[in-house]
């Protein structure tokens, strides 16, 4: 994986020093809270309901074991012994003191990490495919491109005060595991007819209160113009994105209002201009970055079989592991969704254990997924049983990847100051209701996503089943959505009708699952059946 | 004209009043103009040779359109004074400078020591702009 050189390190160190100085000026009163707010936000520090929350960037979700261990230590040292992995492949801590923030950032910098631009109206952490570099069907490893974009977007002088936050995802497989078309910019690496690799740009996707699927804006950007094209896209947005209304300020509204063709034309014009301005890094830089993402030293001829005699282990393998490009290896997902648990939460000890396992069994590397789980990308099949035993003993053995128990949930009203309703207790109740293995198995692949307000941090629009918390005359109320998908077949869920209270929403989910089971044909997933029979049979059952 | 507090130029301070972009076209002898966030900086490009001062107004520091305006002007070869005016704060100075501003007239005077520290904060830069700094990318590849 990528390693900082002295330049990268100096930039992050400078940022820590700058932030310490800003905190000093805030504490001595020379900065008002109003003036300090965007500065702390650009360092990942939010003021929540009970305390400061600090969000740490995990670029494209990749972590070394040393970094993961530091995340565990930070949970102990500055938080209450927990970390919360997020849908942005980041980690956040919910109980941080402002006075500690500088020291925390210095600890992060010591392992080449930071909280830069994890908040604020700037380009946020770049996300990617959690199986990058391991997936059997990928064209190339998308992470070198994401790293190049990370450097370009870090402290970009022109784009720190955009109309609104800006999220970019990069993928390189046909299977979209990063919800690429639901980003402000989604980049898919593709091969053209001449066999060259280039970047396909999708611009103007997003969730929030006006969810939109990004249209393709350019079919192929040559790699030696990638940054220039991105810069053009951003400049058009910075100049013309709406600033009169916070809820209409994301780039999706601009693209929607002027139309994808007109946006593309303006981007093209700016691109033509910028090509003469020398903003593109030398192509040698991309080559340099790529050298950090070469395959780890896989053992040739590693045994490609598994002893499945332990049924619990076999179940976990079937649920949580996926095919690796290298024979004898497998990618394993550690589910952070135990029955009744808080989705994405891990204790300091669990985080350190995962760090050790990444070191011992996965070439020193792990990944955070946008579904709030952890992946060990490169595990020898021969080691898998021992690995699973260690996970299971630590309460990390849940075999429910992409099952109904694998719920994505935002922090909601338990922590978030913007929330209308709690998300976590709903996730806990649903996972308890469907705890029985046979039930989960019968329902099969299911992406259930919960947001505590319209901002959609829990991606409810993109859930096969989505739940949205709203405020109904001061009472928490939950709307049910069906039919969303974040995959390569991206679609947005539809609201079934009037909302429910806490118990009612869990019942409604169960009824929806029953309609699926009664109508399922052959190998259909919930989503397939929904798409075939439509929303009406579900409505009938839910509201009868 | 707004008196600059910080200025990184050796030539004489332009004291002509800055006119609006709208009225600029009609006033063929005006040498100073003020850009508001909604103005298109490119409307000035045909007239750059007679301009000695362009003020870019930041009514609120959170409105970042002025950064693009500044770069567009510098990219088009404007070499006169480019002044950030309005809600200009310490922590925006270094980015503004990178985008081509070379003078600053904040609504509220800045602490000079803090301003200097903020401007000196970054040992290097990733991106190429017209400010003459060599990006890290270029340094890495000699
Ligand atoms: S969706 Fe709403 S409640 Fe949930 S984290 Fe985002 S802003 Fe907070």
């Amino acid at each position: 994986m990528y390693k900082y050189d002295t330049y990268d390190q100096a930039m992050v160190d400078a940022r820590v020093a700058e932030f310490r100085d800003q905190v000093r000026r805030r504490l001595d009163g020379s900065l008002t809270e109003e003036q300090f707010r965007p500065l702390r936000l650009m360092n990942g520090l939010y003021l929540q309901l009970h305390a400061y929350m600090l969000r740490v960037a995990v670029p494209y979700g990749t972590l070394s074991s040393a970094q993961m261990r530091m995340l565990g230590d930070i949970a102990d040292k500055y938080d209450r012994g927990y970390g919360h992995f997020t849908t942005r492949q980041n980690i956040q801590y919910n109980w941080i003191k402002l006075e500690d923030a500088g020291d925390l950032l210095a600890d992060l910098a010591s392992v080449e990490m930071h909280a830069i631009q994890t908040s604020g109206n700037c380009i946020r952490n770049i996300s990617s495919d959690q199986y990058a570099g391991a997936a059997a069907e990928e064209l190339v490893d998308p992470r070198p491109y994401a790293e190049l974009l990370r450097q370009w977007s870090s402290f970009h002088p022109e784009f720190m005060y955009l109309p609104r936050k800006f999220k970019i995802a990069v993928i390189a497989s046909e299977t979209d595991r990063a919800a690429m078309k639901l980003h402000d910019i989604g980049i898919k690496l593709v091969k053209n007819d001449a066999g060259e690799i280039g970047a396909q740009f999708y611009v103007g996707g997003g969730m929030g209160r006006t969810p939109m699927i990004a249209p393709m804006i350019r079919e192929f950007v040559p790699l030696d113009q990638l940054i220039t094209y991105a810069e053009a896209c951003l400049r058009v947005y910075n100049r013309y994105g709406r600033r009169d209304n916070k809820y209409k300020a994301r780039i999706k509204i601009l693209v929607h209002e002027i139309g994808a063709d007109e946006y593309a034309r303006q981007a093209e014009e700016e691109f033509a201009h910028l090509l003469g301005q020398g903003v593109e890094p030398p192509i040698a830089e991309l080559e340099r970055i790529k050298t950090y993402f070469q395959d780890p030293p896989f053992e040739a001829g590693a045994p490609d079989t598994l002893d499945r005699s332990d049924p619990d282990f076999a179940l976990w393998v079937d649920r949580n592991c996926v095919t690796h490009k290298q024979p004898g290896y497998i990618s394993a997902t550690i589910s952070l969704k135990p029955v009744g648990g808080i989705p994405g939460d891990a204790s300091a000890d669990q985080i350190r254990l995962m760090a050790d396992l990444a070191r011992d069994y996965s070439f020193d590397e792990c990944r955070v997924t946008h579904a709030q789980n952890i992946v060990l990308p490169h595990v020898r099949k021969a080691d898998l049983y021992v690995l699973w035993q260690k996970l299971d003993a630590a309460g990390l053995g849940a075999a429910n990847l992409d099952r109904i128990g694998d719920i994505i949930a935002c922090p909601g009203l338990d922590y978030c100051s913007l929330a209308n309703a709690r998300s976590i207790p709903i996730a806990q109740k649903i996972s308890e209701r469907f705890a029985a293995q046979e039930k989960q198995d019968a329902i099969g692949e299911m992406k259930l996503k919960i947001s505590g307000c319209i901002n959609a941090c829990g991606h409810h629009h993109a859930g096969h089943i989505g739940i949205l918390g709203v405020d109904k005359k001061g009472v928490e109320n939950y709307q049910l959505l069906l039919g969303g998908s974040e995959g390569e077949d991206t679609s947005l869920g539809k609201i079934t009708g009037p909302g429910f209270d806490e118990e009612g929403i869990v019942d409604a989910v169960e009824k929806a699952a029953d309609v699926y089971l009664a109508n399922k044909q052959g190998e259909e997933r919930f989503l397939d059946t929904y798409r075939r029979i439509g929303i009406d049979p579900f409505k009938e059952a839910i509201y009868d | 004209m707004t008196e600059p507090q910080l200025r990184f130029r050796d030539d004489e301070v332009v004291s002509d009043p800055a006119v609006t972009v709208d009225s600029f076209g009609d006033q063929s002898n005006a040498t100073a103009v003020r850009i508001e966030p909604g103005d298109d900086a490119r409307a000035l490009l045909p007239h750059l040779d007679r301009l000695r001062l362009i003020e870019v107004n930041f009514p609120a520091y959170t409105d970042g359109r002025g950064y693009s305006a500044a770069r567009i002007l510098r990219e088009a070869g404007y070499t006169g004074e480019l002044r950030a005016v309005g809600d200009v704060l310490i922590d925006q100075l270094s980015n503004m400078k990178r985008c081509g501003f070379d003078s600053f007239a904040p609504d509220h005077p800045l602490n000079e020591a803090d301003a200097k520290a903020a401007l000196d904060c970054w040992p290097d830069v990733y991106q190429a702009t017209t400010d003459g700094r060599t990006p890290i990318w270029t340094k890495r590849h000699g």
Side-chain angles (χ1 to χ4, degrees):
Chain A
M1 57 182 279
Y2 188 69
K3 293 244 177 313
Y4 283 7
D5 65 0
T6 52
Y7 292 112
D8 297 311
Q9 189 67 48
M11 293 299 278
V12 170
D13 290 345
R15 179 54 159 242
V16 174
E18 181 192 47
F19 189 61
R20 277 190 199 281
D21 188 56
Q22 289 163 347
V23 171
R24 171 188 67 77
R25 282 183 284 134
R26 174 71 194 109
L27 294 173
D28 77 13
S30 49
L31 279 174
T32 64
E33 171 55 24
E34 181 65 29
Q35 292 165 343
F36 180 58
R37 195 172 160 272
L39 306 175
R40 66 168 162 75
L41 287 179
M42 280 182 198
N43 287 285
L45 202 60
Y46 277 83
L47 194 51
Q48 289 202 322
L49 287 175
H50 316 289
Y52 280 103
M53 176 270 276
L54 186 104
R55 183 182 293 153
V56 176
V58 181
Y60 31 91
T62 296
L63 289 163
S64 70
S65 62
Q67 291 174 326
M68 188 72 163
R69 190 166 305 105
M70 178 59 85
L71 295 179
D73 290 345
I74 285 174
D76 268 342
K77 199 164 157 191
Y78 304 104
D79 193 277
R80 298 181 177 176
Y82 279 87
H84 178 74
F85 291 95
T86 78
T87 54
R88 289 297 302 158
Q89 300 180 288
N90 290 326
I91 183 169
Q92 50 196 48
Y93 298 101
N94 285 315
W95 303 97
I96 299 300
K97 294 192 193 71
L98 180 57
E99 304 84 275
D100 287 343
D103 291 339
L104 197 169
L105 293 183
D107 284 353
L108 283 175
S110 74
V111 290
E112 305 180 7
M113 291 188 79
H114 59 73
I116 294 160
Q117 291 167 225
T118 55
S119 182
N121 292 337
C122 50
I123 303 173
R124 303 286 189 88
N125 185 38
I126 316 274
S127 54
S128 187
D129 184 340
Q130 70 266 25
Y131 299 134
E137 26 84 69
E138 86 184 354
L139 179 64
V140 287
D141 188 335
R143 292 173 302 163
Y145 309 88
E147 171 59 25
L148 191 70
L149 287 158
R150 180 192 76 81
Q151 296 184 22
W152 161 74
S153 59
S154 296
F155 323 112
H156 197 296
E158 187 177 341
F159 304 134
M160 283 299 155
Y161 297 93
L162 296 168
R164 202 75 177 82
K165 58 189 167 185
F166 204 92
K167 300 176 180 179
I168 301 177
V170 188
I171 65 166
S173 285
E174 283 308 314
T175 310
D176 180 2
R177 284 170 288 256
M180 177 272 285
K181 286 183 198 164
L182 294 171
H183 282 73
D184 296 285
I185 291 182
I187 294 175
K188 183 182 178 190
L189 294 156
V190 293
K191 199 178 253 181
N192 68 6
D193 294 341
E196 298 152 345
I197 307 280
Q200 201 162 72
F201 271 66
Y202 295 79
V203 182
M207 295 198 240
R209 65 183 64 207
T210 330
M212 288 192 194
I213 298 169
M216 196 209 292
I217 292 293
R218 205 177 210 258
E219 213 175 326
F220 191 88
V221 178
L223 292 180
D224 58 357
Q225 301 177 341
L226 174 68
I227 294 300
T228 310
Y229 193 77
E231 186 132 336
C233 289
L234 262 296
R235 180 175 284 179
V236 171
Y237 171 55
N238 190 41
R239 299 187 75 208
Y240 298 112
R242 287 183 60 174
R243 291 175 187 263
D244 58 326
N245 179 342
K246 174 174 169 205
Y247 301 116
K248 296 192 186 301
R250 294 289 288 267
I251 194 173
K252 63 191 173 190
I253 304 291
L254 173 69
V255 173
H256 182 72
E257 284 181 353
I258 66 175
D261 290 345
E262 174 58 16
Y263 174 80
R265 189 194 64 75
Q266 293 186 18
E268 214 54 48
E269 210 171 272
E270 198 63 61
F271 177 54
H273 160 71
L274 285 170
L275 281 175
Q277 291 297 327
V279 298
E280 191 67 34
I283 196 74
E285 177 59 12
L286 188 58
E287 297 307 319
R288 184 190 75 91
I289 294 172
K290 277 188 196 163
T291 60
Y292 291 99
F293 291 96
Q294 276 165 6
D295 282 348
F298 294 124
E299 179 190 319
D304 204 29
T305 49
L306 284 170
D307 176 357
R308 301 169 56 93
S309 51
D310 180 334
D312 289 340
F313 170 64
L315 179 73
W316 180 79
V317 172
D318 291 341
R319 288 290 166 275
N320 289 36
C321 297
V322 300
T323 311
H324 197 283
K325 65 182 183 185
Q326 176 75 18
Y329 288 79
I330 204 161
S331 300
T333 297
I334 304 170
S335 167
L336 299 182
K337 318 288 177 64
V339 173
I342 298 177
D345 264 26
S347 70
D349 286 337
Q350 287 177 327
I351 296 173
R352 282 185 291 254
L353 173 74
M354 293 189 279
D356 290 345
L357 297 176
R359 179 195 60 206
D360 297 342
Y361 299 108
S362 185
F363 294 100
D364 211 37
E365 206 183 308
C366 60
R367 314 277 174 81
V368 184
T369 80
H370 84 277
Q372 306 177 279
N373 293 315
I374 301 295
V375 165
L376 299 177
H378 313 295
V379 181
R380 249 180 10 140
K381 285 186 179 170
D383 294 330
L384 201 58
Y385 188 63
V386 179
L387 169 69
W388 170 77
Q389 286 178 311
K390 292 183 178 177
L391 287 172
D392 203 38
L396 291 168
N400 60 3
L401 180 65
D402 292 340
R403 291 302 193 261
I404 195 163
D406 184 13
I407 297 168
I408 291 186
C410 77
L413 199 53
D414 291 297
Y415 296 101
C416 175
S417 52
L418 303 171
N420 290 134
R422 289 163 303 146
S423 316
I424 293 168
I426 304 297
Q428 291 170 317
K429 286 210 164 104
I430 293 173
S431 84
E432 279 159 5
R433 178 78 63 95
F434 292 93
Q437 191 66 47
E438 313 76 64
K439 239 174 171 174
Q440 297 227 7
D441 286 348
I443 297 167
E445 184 185 310
M446 165 57 68
K447 305 206 176 182
L448 197 150
K449 305 178 194 256
I450 309 174
S451 304
C453 82
I454 192 80
N455 286 326
C457 304
H459 301 180
H460 64 275
H461 301 294
H464 299 176
I465 293 180
I467 295 173
L468 167 64
V470 295
D471 173 281
K472 204 176 163 195
K473 302 196 184 99
V475 182
E476 290 165 278
N477 190 268
Y478 296 92
Q479 294 183 338
L480 184 70
L481 294 87
L482 299 176
S485 168
E486 64 197 350
E488 53 290 354
D489 59 348
T490 312
S491 60
L492 300 171
K494 273 206 198 114
I495 296 179
T496 53
F500 305 89
D501 65 10
E502 205 173 316
E503 281 308 318
I505 189 69
V506 183
D507 293 340
V509 167
E510 188 158 26
K511 284 180 191 161
D514 289 341
V515 172
Y516 158 65
L517 292 174
N519 288 277
K520 166 182 184 183
Q521 290 180 357
E523 293 297 293
E524 273 182 349
R525 303 169 299 163
F526 177 92
L527 184 64
D528 303 322
T529 303
Y530 170 85
R531 285 178 174 166
R532 181 171 54 78
I533 67 176
I535 199 167
D536 291 338
F538 290 93
K539 277 189 182 173
E540 276 162 36
I542 293 166
Y543 295 104
D544 71 347
Chain B
M1 189 207 55
T2 323
E3 220 30 81
Q5 185 194 356
L6 296 166
R7 196 165 182 275
F8 300 88
R9 299 179 65 89
D10 299 329
D11 56 355
E12 221 172 284
V13 177
V14 181
S15 51
D16 305 10
V19 303
T20 65
V21 172
D22 278 348
S23 62
F24 177 75
D26 308 329
Q27 303 188 17
S28 54
N29 55 356
T31 59
V33 66
R34 173 183 288 216
I35 297 185
E36 297 296 334
D39 292 335
D40 180 6
R42 290 203 161 102
L44 297 176
L45 299 191
H47 315 290
L48 291 185
D49 48 354
R50 73 172 153 104
L51 275 167
R52 294 177 55 216
L53 169 67
I54 301 176
E55 292 184 347
V56 178
N57 188 26
F58 290 86
Y61 71 87
T62 45
D63 188 331
R65 284 177 283 185
Y67 295 87
S68 290
R71 282 192 75 194
I72 283 168
L73 292 166
R74 291 298 189 211
E75 285 165 3
Y78 174 67
T79 55
E81 183 164 344
L82 192 53
R83 187 181 296 165
V85 307
D87 196 14
V88 175
L89 306 171
I90 300 270
D91 299 282
Q92 283 79 49
L93 291 176
S94 72
N95 285 335
M96 287 181 167
K97 196 147 178 271
R98 293 229 60 217
C99 288
F101 288 103
D102 54 10
S103 85
F104 303 89
D107 282 344
H108 301 286
L110 306 176
N111 176 310
E112 304 259 344
D114 287 344
K116 188 175 175 332
L119 281 166
D120 293 342
C121 168
W122 298 105
D124 271 299
V125 297
Y126 282 114
Q127 308 80 4
T129 68
T130 51
D131 71 346
R133 296 190 71 171
T134 307
I136 288 170
W137 288 330
T138 309
K139 290 190 176 180
R140 279 181 180 143
H141 301 282

